Amino acid sequence: MKKRIFAIVLIVCLVSGIAFAAKGDIKVGAQAGFGTDRSSYKSIVAGNKVNYNKTIFNGFFFVATGEYDVTDAIGIKAEAGILTMGKGTSRVICKDLGIDSTLDGPEAPVNFSFYLGGQYEFEIGDDFSLAAGAGVDMMLGKQDKDLEKGNGRIGVGFEAVGSYAINNDIDVTLGARYAIYFINTNSDDARNIQDWKDAGGSVFQSGLKIFAGCTYTL
């Protein structure tokens, strides 16, 4: 676990170093929209029957963003903000037993959202461009308000963002990012996830964010 976290920190430092070693435009702005946080659990119950439990939180997504253009096409993007979680829903599925029900899930407080990645921009026209990017995505907080400790869900995010230039300094954006989380910093959660896997099951955590925003070139 510690080796994985160290590797991610090292990658982040290298990316940041490369970015600021060159001279380019700096953009600041904000993004807002819809976000979802998902945890899917697969377990084996009595009689080798497969049971699925999916917990989903939907909320409002808001972040402050910063971008640095290493070249005209290649850039670095960083963001930090929040995802409101609220009341989640849980869906339990066991086809062998004929079970498929949706229940009230746990209630979670606001979680913090962080992202750092690279992007490549394709110019579509004089004023419009499309950027594809990937980087380190992280959610930090509790997935249940009654839990004693929260966790950091760390993984890889992939995004696509369209940008329209209103003038030389201001751009409006519309995009989406999907993230797969493969590290959990809460030792209790990480141990529970490993127990599920050791018992023949699996755990898959992910997130989706759809947003609109605006950037200003300094």
Side-chain angles (χ1 to χ4, degrees), residues 51-55 89-95 98-105:
N51 181 73
Y52 297 94
N53 186 301
K54 301 179 180 180
T55 302
T89 59
S90 292
R91 184 181 180 188
V92 180
I93 304 172
C94 186
K95 296 180 180 179
I99 298 174
D100 188 344
S101 58
T102 300
L103 312 170
D104 286 338

Side-chain angles (χ1 to χ4, degrees), residues 1 4-5 7-9 11-12 37 114-117 134-140 151-158 177-185 204-207 209:
M1 177 69 69
R4 290 182 178 179
I5 295 175
I8 289 176
V9 172
I11 292 172
V12 169
D37 188 83
F114 303 94
Y115 176 77
L116 176 63
V136 179
D137 192 293
M138 179 177 179
M139 292 294 297
L140 179 64
N151 63 59
R153 303 177 296 285
I154 306 172
V156 179
F158 304 92
R177 181 166 73 250
Y178 178 73
I180 300 173
Y181 304 116
F182 52 86
I183 294 177
N184 195 307
T185 62
F204 182 77
Q205 294 186 303
S206 63
K209 300 176 178 71

Side-chain angles (χ1 to χ4, degrees), residues 144-163:
D144 186 333
K145 69 176 184 178
D146 295 327
L147 294 176
E148 182 179 348
K149 296 186 294 184
N151 63 59
R153 303 177 296 285
I154 306 172
V156 179
F158 304 92
E159 71 173 15
V161 181
S163 178

Side-chain angles (χ1 to χ4, degrees), residues 29-83:
Q31 296 174 168
F34 168 81
T36 180
D37 188 83
R38 297 169 175 255
S39 297
S40 299
Y41 305 89
K42 172 187 173 183
S43 61
I44 309 299
V45 296
N48 292 325
K49 296 179 175 60
V50 180
N51 181 73
Y52 297 94
N53 186 301
K54 301 179 180 180
T55 302
I56 303 173
F57 295 96
N58 297 320
F60 172 73
F61 172 66
F62 175 81
V63 293
T65 67
E67 298 180 22
Y68 185 88
D69 293 334
V70 180
T71 69
D72 289 339
I74 299 174
I76 302 297
K77 178 181 179 181
E79 65 178 45
I82 62 169
L83 172 64

